[in-house]
Amino acid sequence: MVYKQTSQMFNESEQLLLESFVTNCNSDVFCLYNLPEVVKGALFSRYSRSDKSLRRILLDEFINAPEAGLVDPENRASDRLVAIQKATGFYDRVLIGYGDDSVAELGGAHIACENISNIAAKALEDSRLGISPLEKSTRYVPFNSQVNGHYRYCREPSIMGSSYGKLYEKTLDNLFDTYTQLIDPLLVWVRNCIPRDSDTSERGYNSATRAKALDLLRGLLPMATLTNVGLFGNGRAFEYLLVKLNAAPHRELRSLSQSMQWELDQVIPSFVKRAKTERGAKYAQYLSANHQNTELLTQKLLGNRQAASSTTVQLVQYDPQAEMKVVAAILYPHSNLTFEQVRAYVRDLGTSERVDIINTYAGERESRFHRPGRAFEEVYYTFDILADIGAYRDLQRHRVLTQERQRFSISHGYIIPPELIDADLVKPYKEVLDIAAETTELIAKDLPDASEYVVPFAYLVRWRVKLNLREVYHLVELRSTRQGHPSYRAIAQQMYQQIQIHHPTLVDSMKFVDLNDYALERLSSEQRIDFKLRQQNQ
Ligand SMILES: Cc1cc2nc3c(=O)[nH]c(=O)nc-3n(C[C@H](O)[C@H](O)[C@H](O)COP(=O)(O)OP(=O)(O)OC[C@H]3O[C@@H](n4cnc5c(N)ncnc54)[C@H](O)[C@@H]3O)c2cc1C
């Protein structure tokens, strides 16, 4: 595509200065690079209050301002980035003068958090707006490696400093030993049950069967299991995340907040500094006090009652007027009437007219990536889900919805994958899970928050999910795909089936929900990889 020439002209020396920071000097569309994140934020912040172009502001107010420290006058412009700390005072003044909270969204950082527990990983991934996480997979990576003869799990300090320290280590070592011992026999069993066919390469087959064995055994991993999480996020989201971690009951999370603050201070100091000021501390106290008080109140009000249902997926709330509301939202942007008028019009429509409108709007979907638009955000569904922590770990990562869980505990029991029964490997699996329950209960008497570290992924957790119809399409179609883990595939399938009972026309366009069961989930993905590898080698 050819963009029109920009009216902004730069002389030769200006171009020389600019070219290390912008992708071009002659088009109206360009990217910034090679600049500290705080500078980019400050620059955009000035942009909104100036008639100048961004490159002109960069030149006049940043590159040519020695105080900004962008260009070292002794060196060529290419060696010009000086320490961010030196320039921070300058950018902070620019931000105070021209910025508001949203300026901190204009710069971001990649941060890696390694060797953190799954309690910490879930806390990081609980962020929604502005953060994109990636986590080491229990499907592709066996979690039984050791460092200096020790399995890699969090030695939770308050437990290790208590009389439960030895029991904690013994229980977790037991879980990891069993996980390790079961991998090979289970792999043999999987390969015997599903022999390789001529369509599948040895590479693809080995990969799919290994993934299956690791999927089946992940229930043995305790929440203390160490993992790695990489996050890309904007400054504002990180600031909130740091405050939330500081308010957490777990010591590991508060300490993680300090480490993250230290590292983020080196790349986006201005954007995250309020997390460590009195304002940040007060915010953390507010969150933590409210959490504790509400927990106490709930205990007082509901503490003695037992859960009345063990249903996996329960549709608790839906809108009886959903169809009318969605149809009105579909027509509204294309009319010039008030929303109330459109709704009144839709109320009088017959079923077939409404169906026509919904089908026209959803159109011919050729893949799950063809998502219906925002009219589907007009209605919400609330689900109560009781499923293994493994499934929760996967589904928690969705962001365009509200999810809140109860405590990780052993009180709802655990799942036993039927394959383990068929493979005659269920005895050791159950034994260590039962022992883990005893240890969890014992520790929970004195250290309820820390006891969550013992709970293995096979145990059930209850959580609430409230999501709009548009996210239902995304989540259900993605999470029911063949390559998904059977635990969350079943949840996605049930969500679909329960909505379908009440609103068949609204989910009629959900063409890519997969309701089948598969013996080897990864197989078709591996076959696709084989195909691509063959094409590359041709
Ligand atoms: C088979 C399978 C294997 C997986 N394996 C791994 C793994 O090994 N490691 C791992 O870490 N994760 C893994 N995931 C999880 C995956 O990476 C996502 O985190 C998860 O599916 C939720 O994110 P989402 O973007 O799809 O959906 P949601 O968060 O529900 O968002 C819905 C949609 O909104 C948009 N959206 C939401 N947030 C943003 C944003 N910040 N920026 C831009 N667009 C946004 C996107 O279009 C997105 O698809 C796996 C998922 C599947 C299905």
Side-chain angles (χ1 to χ4, degrees):
M1 183 182 283
V2 178
Y3 294 102
K4 73 182 166 60
Q5 284 282 303
T6 175
S7 53
Q8 188 73 49
M9 298 300 288
F10 302 101
N11 64 35
E12 216 171 292
S13 68
E14 286 176 329
Q15 285 203 26
L16 199 65
L17 284 168
L18 277 172
E19 69 187 10
S20 294
F21 303 116
V22 295
T23 47
N24 72 69
C25 288
N26 51 24
S27 162
D28 281 335
V29 181
F30 55 96
C31 288
L32 296 174
Y33 66 96
N34 223 2
L35 285 165
E37 295 295 312
V38 270
V39 178
K40 286 185 264 186
L43 195 54
F44 272 122
S45 162
R46 273 291 290 129
Y47 205 16
S48 67
R49 314 286 169 105
S50 171
D51 192 35
K52 292 183 192 173
S53 75
L54 195 78
R55 279 173 297 220
R56 180 54 60 195
I57 300 173
L58 178 59
L59 266 176
D60 293 354
E61 301 179 29
F62 290 77
I63 294 177
N64 291 330
E67 194 194 1
L70 269 187
V71 181
D72 184 343
E74 296 297 312
N75 294 325
R76 261 184 44 80
S78 57
D79 310 317
R80 51 207 98 177
L81 292 184
V82 296
I84 294 169
Q85 297 301 344
K86 187 179 156 196
T88 296
F90 173 78
Y91 306 122
D92 284 353
R93 278 203 299 286
V94 176
L95 292 176
I96 289 163
Y98 304 100
D100 56 40
D101 280 2
S102 61
V103 172
E105 288 175 37
L106 300 173
H110 286 89
I111 186 166
C113 300
E114 302 193 345
N115 297 309
I116 57 170
S117 75
N118 267 261
I119 296 278
K122 293 307 105 188
L124 293 179
E125 294 166 356
D126 209 36
S127 310
R128 293 177 298 181
L129 272 185
I131 300 250
S132 302
L134 211 75
E135 182 190 343
K136 187 162 114 182
S137 168
T138 54
R139 164 176 275 183
Y140 305 111
V141 187
F143 274 68
N144 59 345
S145 65
Q146 299 191 352
V147 177
N148 300 328
H150 298 291
Y151 286 119
R152 297 170 66 196
Y153 59 80
C154 172
R155 269 78 186 165
E156 204 286 324
S158 56
I159 299 179
M160 296 310 289
S162 75
S163 58
Y164 302 116
K166 284 219 158 62
L167 175 68
Y168 177 77
E169 282 196 301
K170 195 173 162 211
T171 306
L172 268 59
D173 283 344
N174 237 329
L175 285 164
F176 279 93
D177 276 343
T178 309
Y179 172 85
T180 308
Q181 285 154 14
L182 292 187
I183 292 177
D184 281 344
L186 193 57
L187 200 52
V188 170
W189 179 84
V190 169
R191 289 180 180 166
N192 280 339
C193 287
I194 315 163
R196 181 163 79 88
D197 61 25
S198 54
D199 289 343
T200 312
S201 73
E202 203 163 327
R203 183 213 61 77
Y205 178 72
N206 288 345
S207 186
T209 46
R210 208 170 95 109
K212 178 76 184 174
L214 294 181
D215 266 357
L216 290 170
L217 292 175
R218 73 174 184 186
L220 292 169
L221 299 171
M223 287 304 288
T225 306
L226 295 182
T227 190
N228 299 333
V229 175
L231 304 168
F232 174 69
N234 69 53
R236 192 183 202 179
F238 275 127
E239 184 181 273
Y240 180 47
L241 177 58
L242 294 175
V243 169
K244 275 201 303 183
L245 292 176
N246 270 329
H250 302 99
R251 209 189 280 186
E252 184 196 6
L253 303 196
R254 298 195 297 274
S255 148
L256 179 61
S257 180
Q258 306 298 310
S259 311
M260 289 175 72
Q261 177 90 58
W262 175 263
E263 301 305 327
L264 291 168
D265 275 351
Q266 300 184 46
V267 283
I268 47 171
S270 307
F271 300 157
V272 291
K273 70 174 184 200
R274 288 187 308 192
K276 59 182 179 184
T277 61
E278 200 189 340
R279 171 186 157 133
K282 282 201 166 146
Y283 192 7
Q285 278 161 18
Y286 167 81
L287 295 175
S288 145
N290 288 355
H291 180 82
Q292 283 173 28
N293 292 336
T294 316
E295 189 170 32
L296 283 174
L297 184 62
T298 312
Q299 281 308 313
K300 203 171 111 189
L301 297 173
L302 300 174
N304 294 326
R305 298 184 188 213
Q306 296 293 316
S309 157
S310 56
T311 310
T312 310
V313 177
Q314 193 179 2
L315 177 58
V316 177
Q317 204 173 318
Y318 62 90
D319 190 337
Q321 293 187 304
E323 198 180 286
M324 182 279 288
K325 288 182 177 171
V326 168
V327 173
I330 291 172
L331 299 179
Y332 173 78
H334 304 287
S335 84
N336 60 0
L337 304 179
T338 67
F339 197 27
E340 197 39 56
Q341 280 177 299
V342 181
R343 282 163 74 121
Y345 168 77
V346 172
R347 266 185 216 113
D348 292 337
L349 289 181
T351 307
S352 70
E353 288 160 305
R354 287 184 185 188
V355 169
D356 258 2
I357 295 168
I358 294 168
N359 290 345
T360 304
Y361 184 72
E364 290 300 319
R365 299 183 68 225
E366 284 172 20
S367 80
R368 68 180 172 82
F369 299 105
H370 292 176
R371 295 184 200 141
R374 292 188 183 184
F376 278 26
E377 293 175 19
E378 192 61 22
V379 293
Y380 280 82
Y381 299 89
T382 303
F383 289 94
D384 190 16
I385 300 180
L386 178 68
D388 60 290
I389 295 173
Y392 169 77
R393 286 174 67 254
D394 291 325
L395 295 178
Q396 182 236 12
R397 288 277 303 278
H398 288 276
R399 293 155 292 181
V400 193
L401 73 178
T402 305
Q403 300 197 72
E404 257 187 329
R405 67 169 168 85
Q406 299 178 348
R407 189 182 280 280
F408 295 123
S409 78
I410 48 90
S411 60
H412 303 295
Y414 54 79
I415 52 145
I416 304 173
E419 292 89 338
L420 285 183
I421 302 173
D422 295 346
D424 204 16
L425 294 172
V426 79
K427 194 164 167 271
Y429 178 87
K430 283 175 71 175
E431 258 168 28
V432 278
L433 289 180
D434 291 337
I435 294 171
E438 286 167 24
T439 304
T440 310
E441 271 197 313
L442 211 59
I443 297 178
K445 283 187 189 138
D446 292 326
L447 301 165
D449 293 320
S451 74
E452 292 187 289
Y453 282 83
V454 187
V455 183
F457 297 170
Y459 277 90
L460 305 181
V461 62
R462 196 185 284 286
W463 78 102
R464 167 179 81 90
V465 177
K466 179 167 183 168
L467 73 180
N468 65 49
L469 181 62
R470 197 175 184 202
E471 177 71 359
V472 169
Y473 267 66
H474 171 70
L475 189 149
V476 165
E477 291 187 336
L478 172 70
R479 293 300 183 172
S480 66
T481 49
R482 175 180 176 161
Q483 69 268 31
H485 193 287
S487 274
Y488 68 65
R489 289 195 68 231
I491 295 172
Q493 290 163 345
Q494 287 185 49
M495 287 170 91
Y496 164 76
Q497 283 156 344
Q498 294 192 28
I499 295 177
Q500 198 197 28
I501 292 171
H502 303 285
H503 298 147
T505 50
L506 292 180
V507 290
D508 193 41
S509 295
M510 208 187 280
K511 306 276 185 227
F512 302 99
V513 54
D514 186 341
L515 299 175
N516 300 311
D517 282 333
Y518 300 100
L520 205 50
E521 296 80 17
R522 281 288 310 166
L523 194 62
S524 65
S525 302
E526 294 297 341
Q527 284 167 340
R528 274 200 300 277
I529 296 173
D530 277 345
F531 178 71
K532 283 181 192 157
L533 287 174
R534 277 199 300 276
Q535 278 192 324
Q536 264 174 14
N537 292 333
Q538 270 169 13

